[in-house]
Amino acid sequence: MTDRKITKPRPISGFPEWLPEVRRVEQQWMDHIRRVFESYGYASIETPAVEELDIIGAKGADVDKEIYVLERLHKEDGDKEARLALHFDQTVPLARYVAQHFNDLVFPFKRYQMQKVWRGERPQAGRFREFYQCDIDVINVDALPLHFDAEMPAVMWEILSSLPGMENEKIQIRVSNRKILMGVLSEFSIPDISQAIGMIDKFEKNGAEWVFKELKIAYGDYLTDYNITEIVNILKNGPLAINNPHNEIVEEGLCDLTFVMDQLKHLPEGSVVADLSIVRGLDYYTGTVYETVFLDDPGYGSICSGGRYDDLAGNYINKHLPGVGISIGLSRLFDRLRQQNKLPIGRMTPTDVLVVLPSEERRPLAQQRAHMLRQSGLNVEVFHSDAKLKRQLAYAERKGIPFVWFPPFEDDKPDEVKNMTTGMQGEADAKTWKPDA
Amino acid sequence: MTDRKITKPRPISGFPEWLPEVRRVEQQWMDHIRRVFESYGYASIETPAVEELDIIGAKGADVDKEIYVLERLHKEDGDKEARLALHFDQTVPLARYVAQHFNDLVFPFKRYQMQKVWRGERPQAGRFREFYQCDIDVINVDALPLHFDAEMPAVMWEILSSLPGMENEKIQIRVSNRKILMGVLSEFSIPDISQAIGMIDKFEKNGAEWVFKELKIAYGDYLTDYNITEIVNILKNGPLAINNPHNEIVEEGLCDLTFVMDQLKHLPEGSVVADLSIVRGLDYYTGTVYETVFLDDPGYGSICSGGRYDDLAGNYINKHLPGVGISIGLSRLFDRLRQQNKLPIGRMTPTDVLVVLPSEERRPLAQQRAHMLRQSGLNVEVFHSDAKLKRQLAYAERKGIPFVWFPPFEDDKPDEVKNMTTGMQGEADAKTWKPDA
């Protein structure tokens, strides 16, 4: 080994990787999320890691720079394949999927997707370039009933409030309807509404005064101070601050939001609230929008967001396909709790029972005991060598294996099992023994 | 919608994507595989989709052309980051992972990994460029007991013989030990043994005569016809064809193989057999090797392969880390059964019960019934509109939802449930009802 060049590998910035005991909790999270998604009838789909660059790029210039494109290392000359790129979200792939498989799907199409997505950002602390996203969306043809807009936060509240380690976090899902602000703004015929939306999106972060000032600088020719005050008051105080109904769009937005909130009354007070300052930046939403924050750290940003879009797959198919969806940025949330030592990190193996190897001759006996215990649904391994008992127990202890099984060291002796947590040890029958008996 | 350019998306060659009802079976497969892996004490890890190109490329020139490298679409000038590439297997990442986290792992380290891998091949029918691989490996420091070599095919036999849809397939796991042939070949001091291994690897495909001829052409100066006949006879007939013990390496290989086969006696006859023609091409294996074939279609190639390697992470860490591993090429196997219509493809949703919406006014009642049924662990959705009953039932039928729940359409009436398979309908209580009652 002395003539080798040893290069200790380093982590790649932005690509998280967990030790087995942390990965175990991540699996519990994903199992939990999947269980709740399915309990509401969402079906799993997976799309490839890549899409054609033309499809991914279609969303607009602002995401271009975050895209990873693929290149074959030894590309042959004359390759005429479309360029492929890693997906940066699961919404663009969903749109493509629904259009491509339209005739094989039954609508409303309720799907969930839990996959990694990639953002080709510059490496910087705390920014993930690869992370899991867990999305649900409902897509329908022509019209999509509004009560799905209420189902989204209900599902997510159920998940977020019961993820292992999240039980004591104070989170809040905030709901708004874009039509309200868009309607108000449309009254004033200001140019470039999206710029105004961008400013309003920073309300939580920069405060009312900042928004007032920015709107005044940008739109002083179109908005009076009275107008701007009204807008800022809407962000602060909600619908009551709307001075007059303005127009049908505003009315519609208010009506939709009221309907959605009415459907969520059964949730604990403060879990889901209406908040007109939620606009979701420059996204493609057209109605309901969601964000979710830690109440004691709102500056951390949204951990679960989404909204309603009018026409998901309009570039691919001549159908009107409205949808509504919401997404957990799983890896970022998970890593936050990990860094705060809030995850219930336990053993580093799924093994429930370690079967001691009394001697090489008794290996068949040990294997047979392992087999019997597996029949009861337990995860079991046999220690790999007939090392001293102390070493075998130390292995169980280091890996956090909760039970150690002792096959008889001599004939005509009984089996025994030791609870590694309590230290209790007693006779047991591998055919019938259960951990909690 | 008329002024839009509609571009119907096409599938990307080599990147499989399933409809929800097929994906459901894929999930069952993955759940099943995970359950068996864990029942033997293998712990899940996941590594990023990418590694540094230097690490991935280290394996040798023959895989270079199959590698996808990543490029940020809008790379800033002066970027000095290491080039990243998608992993093409899970063994290279495992080696890097073990070296990187060496001090945090407990050995023997038993891990499983079920992730997508990518091969940047030219697009061609039947070749996957993205597919799931399901691997188990055991790594130890300094020495790894041989009985792990027997655990690999035992775990895989348990999985492959009971995957949904695989129950009637006649498969066979073939085991050999590379030391045997390497030892025999080393006697003849021929140059470039790996070339000879490449020829021998084609024994199953091209037959004994072909191998004889190729060896004679390549090594006529080193091997007599008698020597070549012996080699070919070993491939055909196994250890009995070895004319003399040759050397210690051959002896060791025979002894190891006998030990492994002895440990597998409990499996059904013919499920795992010794076959000295298995060499695993140009791979890095040093001892035990595995391949798995369909007995009625051996030309399809191996569906589950692996072997023992001497020193996995030697480039990264100054430790001797032998390991043994085996891998299912999941997507390819799954797609074969899909194309042969052998998968138990059923409903296109996880929903067990569709709750009928009697009328908009009764939505709270329908929601409450759905909630009660979910409490019993069922997957439930409420129909999205108060459409005619016939339409609501048709939705359940089309999605394959097995039960339809009728909340009372008027006060003081009982709930009813309909079994969509049998057509039977009767009164039921949402609090206590179970599908099989």
Side-chain angles (χ1 to χ4, degrees):
Chain A
M1 273 185 286
T2 44
D3 56 343
R4 280 189 310 215
K5 195 177 155 259
I6 306 283
T7 322
K8 187 161 172 24
R10 300 148 307 169
I12 307 174
S13 169
F15 289 82
E17 176 172 89
W18 314 130
L19 289 171
E21 58 271 29
V22 180
R23 166 67 184 154
R24 246 179 92 72
V25 183
E26 189 184 49
Q27 280 186 307
Q28 288 164 16
W29 275 42
M30 297 190 76
D31 290 345
H32 174 72
I33 294 169
R34 172 180 165 189
R35 204 158 43 236
V36 178
F37 283 170
E38 294 189 350
S39 80
Y40 283 83
Y42 290 84
S44 171
I45 67 163
E46 280 201 349
T47 62
V50 304
E51 299 286 337
E52 290 185 5
L53 182 58
D54 286 351
I55 282 181
I56 284 209
K59 205 182 156 193
D62 55 311
V63 294
D64 268 1
K65 67 173 187 303
E66 297 192 0
I67 293 175
Y68 277 123
V69 291
L70 260 54
E71 203 79 60
R72 285 199 282 143
L73 191 58
H74 295 282
K75 205 173 148 168
E76 288 89 350
D77 284 342
D79 260 1
K80 282 209 187 96
E81 275 193 90
R83 284 183 86 186
L84 302 177
L86 294 176
H87 55 220
F88 61 88
D89 75 358
Q90 298 180 137
T91 309
V92 172
L94 172 64
R96 197 261 313 142
Y97 182 97
V98 170
Q100 190 174 319
H101 305 288
F102 184 82
N103 292 324
D104 295 311
L105 301 176
V106 175
F107 294 89
F109 177 50
K110 300 179 81 171
R111 84 88 178 80
Y112 72 93
Q113 218 167 326
M114 302 170 67
Q115 293 185 245
K116 283 179 177 161
V117 303
W118 292 270
R119 308 253 164 115
E121 306 192 29
R122 288 172 65 89
Q124 52 183 302
R127 272 295 174 86
F128 286 168
R129 301 198 285 175
E130 172 182 80
F131 54 95
Y132 271 113
Q133 237 178 249
C134 305
D135 293 12
I136 46 173
D137 285 82
V138 189
I139 315 284
N140 204 17
V141 184
D142 296 330
L144 180 71
L146 198 61
H147 80 91
F148 285 121
D149 297 51
E151 186 166 280
M152 300 288 128
V155 172
M156 287 306 190
W157 174 258
E158 187 170 330
I159 288 171
L160 291 170
S161 59
S162 57
L163 277 170
M166 281 284 288
E167 301 87 349
N168 298 319
E169 297 299 301
K170 282 185 190 58
I171 57 158
Q172 185 171 69
I173 302 181
R174 294 169 177 179
V175 186
S176 185
N177 193 302
R178 265 199 164 190
K179 288 177 194 163
I180 301 169
L181 266 176
M182 296 299 257
V184 170
L185 290 172
S186 73
E187 284 291 289
F188 306 117
S189 0
I190 59 172
D192 193 6
I193 284 194
S194 69
Q195 196 198 340
I197 292 289
M199 291 167 184
I200 288 167
D201 193 35
K202 297 212 170 70
F203 176 79
E204 166 106 43
K205 198 173 156 203
N206 296 348
E209 238 170 285
W210 182 91
V211 173
F212 187 98
K213 225 170 60 190
E214 292 293 311
L215 285 175
K216 184 155 174 152
I217 294 168
Y219 303 112
D221 295 346
Y222 305 88
L223 301 173
T224 63
D225 280 10
Y226 177 81
N227 298 149
I228 302 179
T229 306
E230 183 187 2
I231 294 169
V232 172
N233 278 341
I234 293 172
L235 303 182
K236 260 202 287 202
N237 305 322
L240 291 178
I242 297 177
N243 294 338
N244 63 66
H246 289 279
N247 55 37
E248 272 178 24
I249 304 178
V250 178
E251 291 263 33
E252 216 177 283
L254 285 169
C255 182
D256 287 0
L257 182 57
T258 308
F259 177 89
V260 169
M261 293 307 298
D262 269 356
Q263 304 268 312
L264 295 167
K265 276 187 190 146
H266 61 287
L267 295 177
E269 171 128 22
S271 55
V272 184
V273 299
D275 180 341
L276 297 192
S277 74
I278 304 301
V279 288
R280 296 299 306 145
L282 299 174
D283 276 334
Y284 37 72
Y285 301 115
T286 52
T288 310
V289 281
Y290 317 99
E291 287 191 359
T292 310
V293 294
F294 287 103
L295 281 176
D296 54 8
D297 187 10
Y300 182 73
S302 180
I303 56 169
C304 177
S305 323
R308 174 179 274 252
Y309 34 85
D310 219 31
D311 192 14
L312 188 72
N315 294 317
Y316 316 124
I317 191 170
N318 206 0
K319 301 269 178 197
H320 183 63
L321 296 174
V324 62
I326 193 165
S327 172
I328 305 176
L330 181 85
S331 303
R332 190 165 162 266
L333 178 61
F334 183 78
D335 193 42
R336 178 187 159 94
L337 271 82
R338 185 186 68 85
Q339 291 192 32
Q340 294 177 336
N341 293 315
K342 286 175 177 166
L343 294 179
I345 291 173
R347 46 182 154 138
M348 51 174 76
T349 168
T351 303
D352 302 308
V353 185
L354 175 73
V355 176
V356 158
L357 187 66
S359 61
E360 269 307 328
E361 298 72 51
R362 287 192 173 247
R363 187 184 287 281
L365 185 75
Q367 297 281 21
Q368 186 231 32
R369 293 306 196 261
H371 180 72
M372 288 162 84
L373 292 164
R374 272 185 208 117
Q375 299 285 82
S376 310
L378 295 163
N379 300 330
V380 188
E381 51 180 304
V382 177
F383 194 73
H384 56 281
S385 82
D386 57 354
K388 285 204 178 111
L389 200 53
K390 206 175 143 184
R391 241 190 84 206
Q392 301 197 37
L393 285 165
Y395 172 83
E397 199 138 30
R398 289 184 66 201
K399 281 206 170 171
I401 299 171
F403 295 95
V404 173
W405 192 273
F406 299 86
F409 279 54
E410 297 164 42
D411 291 343
D412 305 321
K413 298 271 173 176
D415 289 54
E416 295 194 5
V417 62
K418 177 173 181 158
N419 180 325
M420 296 296 283
T421 318
T422 64
M424 297 272 283
Q425 186 169 335
E427 292 185 16
D429 180 348
K431 233 186 259 167
T432 53
W433 180 80
K434 296 266 174 201
D436 42 7
Chain B
M1 270 184 290
T2 45
D3 56 343
R4 279 191 311 217
K5 198 179 152 251
I6 305 284
T7 322
K8 186 161 170 29
R10 301 150 304 170
I12 307 174
S13 168
F15 289 81
E17 175 172 89
W18 314 131
L19 289 171
E21 58 271 30
V22 180
R23 167 66 184 154
R24 247 179 91 73
V25 183
E26 189 184 48
Q27 281 186 306
Q28 287 164 17
W29 275 40
M30 296 190 77
D31 289 345
H32 174 72
I33 294 170
R34 173 180 164 189
R35 204 158 43 237
V36 178
F37 284 170
E38 293 190 350
S39 80
Y40 283 82
Y42 290 84
S44 170
I45 68 163
E46 280 201 349
T47 62
V50 304
E51 299 286 337
E52 290 185 3
L53 182 57
D54 287 350
I55 281 180
I56 284 208
K59 204 183 156 190
D62 55 309
V63 294
D64 270 0
K65 68 171 186 305
E66 297 191 0
I67 293 176
Y68 276 122
V69 290
L70 260 54
E71 203 80 58
R72 285 198 284 145
L73 190 58
H74 296 281
K75 203 174 150 170
E76 289 89 350
D77 285 342
D79 261 1
K80 282 208 185 100
E81 275 195 89
R83 284 183 85 185
L84 302 178
L86 294 176
H87 55 219
F88 61 86
D89 75 357
Q90 299 180 136
T91 309
V92 173
L94 171 64
R96 197 261 315 140
Y97 182 97
V98 170
Q100 190 174 319
H101 304 289
F102 184 80
N103 293 323
D104 294 313
L105 301 176
V106 175
F107 294 88
F109 178 48
K110 301 179 80 170
R111 86 87 178 79
Y112 72 92
Q113 218 166 326
M114 302 172 67
Q115 292 185 246
K116 283 179 177 161
V117 303
W118 293 270
R119 307 252 165 117
E121 306 191 30
R122 287 172 66 89
Q124 52 183 301
R127 273 294 173 88
F128 286 167
R129 301 197 284 174
E130 172 182 79
F131 55 96
Y132 270 114
Q133 238 179 250
C134 305
D135 293 12
I136 45 172
D137 285 82
V138 189
I139 315 285
N140 204 16
V141 184
D142 296 331
L144 181 71
L146 197 61
H147 81 91
F148 284 121
D149 296 52
E151 186 165 281
M152 300 288 128
V155 172
M156 287 306 190
W157 173 259
E158 187 171 330
I159 288 171
L160 291 171
S161 58
S162 58
L163 278 170
M166 280 284 288
E167 300 86 347
N168 298 319
E169 297 299 302
K170 283 187 190 57
I171 56 157
Q172 185 171 69
I173 303 180
R174 295 170 177 178
V175 187
S176 185
N177 192 303
R178 264 198 165 192
K179 287 178 195 164
I180 301 168
L181 265 176
M182 296 299 256
V184 170
L185 290 172
S186 74
E187 283 292 289
F188 307 118
S189 0
I190 58 171
D192 193 7
I193 284 193
S194 71
Q195 196 199 340
I197 292 287
M199 293 168 184
I200 289 168
D201 192 35
K202 297 214 171 68
F203 175 80
E204 166 106 41
K205 199 173 153 201
N206 296 348
E209 237 170 286
W210 183 91
V211 173
F212 188 97
K213 223 171 62 190
E214 291 294 311
L215 285 175
K216 184 153 175 152
I217 293 168
Y219 302 112
D221 295 345
Y222 305 87
L223 301 173
T224 63
D225 279 11
Y226 177 82
N227 297 147
I228 302 179
T229 306
E230 184 187 2
I231 293 168
V232 172
N233 279 341
I234 293 171
L235 303 182
K236 260 202 288 203
N237 305 322
L240 290 177
I242 296 178
N243 294 338
N244 63 65
H246 289 280
N247 55 38
E248 270 177 26
I249 304 177
V250 179
E251 290 264 31
E252 216 178 284
L254 284 170
C255 182
D256 286 0
L257 182 56
T258 308
F259 178 89
V260 169
M261 294 308 297
D262 269 355
Q263 304 268 311
L264 295 167
K265 275 187 190 147
H266 61 286
L267 295 177
E269 171 127 23
S271 55
V272 184
V273 300
D275 179 341
L276 297 192
S277 74
I278 304 302
V279 287
R280 296 301 304 145
L282 299 174
D283 275 333
Y284 36 73
Y285 301 114
T286 53
T288 310
V289 281
Y290 317 99
E291 285 191 0
T292 310
V293 294
F294 287 104
L295 281 176
D296 54 8
D297 186 9
Y300 182 72
S302 180
I303 56 169
C304 177
S305 322
R308 173 179 274 253
Y309 34 85
D310 219 31
D311 192 12
L312 187 72
N315 294 317
Y316 315 124
I317 191 169
N318 205 2
K319 301 269 179 196
H320 183 63
L321 295 175
V324 63
I326 192 164
S327 172
I328 304 176
L330 181 85
S331 303
R332 190 164 163 266
L333 178 62
F334 183 78
D335 194 43
R336 177 187 160 96
L337 270 81
R338 186 187 68 86
Q339 290 193 32
Q340 294 178 337
N341 294 316
K342 286 176 177 165
L343 294 179
I345 291 172
R347 46 182 154 137
M348 51 175 76
T349 168
T351 302
D352 302 308
V353 185
L354 175 74
V355 176
V356 158
L357 187 66
S359 61
E360 269 307 327
E361 298 73 52
R362 290 196 171 243
R363 188 185 286 281
L365 186 75
Q367 297 280 21
Q368 186 232 33
R369 294 304 195 262
H371 180 72
M372 287 163 84
L373 292 164
R374 274 185 206 116
Q375 299 285 83
S376 310
L378 295 164
N379 300 330
V380 188
E381 51 180 306
V382 177
F383 194 74
H384 56 282
S385 81
D386 58 353
K388 285 207 178 109
L389 201 52
K390 205 175 144 187
R391 240 189 84 206
Q392 300 198 36
L393 285 164
Y395 172 83
E397 198 138 31
R398 289 185 66 201
K399 282 206 171 170
I401 299 171
F403 295 94
V404 172
W405 192 273
F406 299 87
F409 280 54
E410 298 164 41
D411 291 342
D412 305 320
K413 299 270 175 177
D415 289 55
E416 294 194 6
V417 63
K418 177 173 181 161
N419 180 325
M420 296 296 283
T421 318
T422 64
M424 297 273 281
Q425 186 167 335
E427 290 184 18
D429 180 348
K431 232 185 260 166
T432 54
W433 179 81
K434 296 266 174 201
D436 42 8

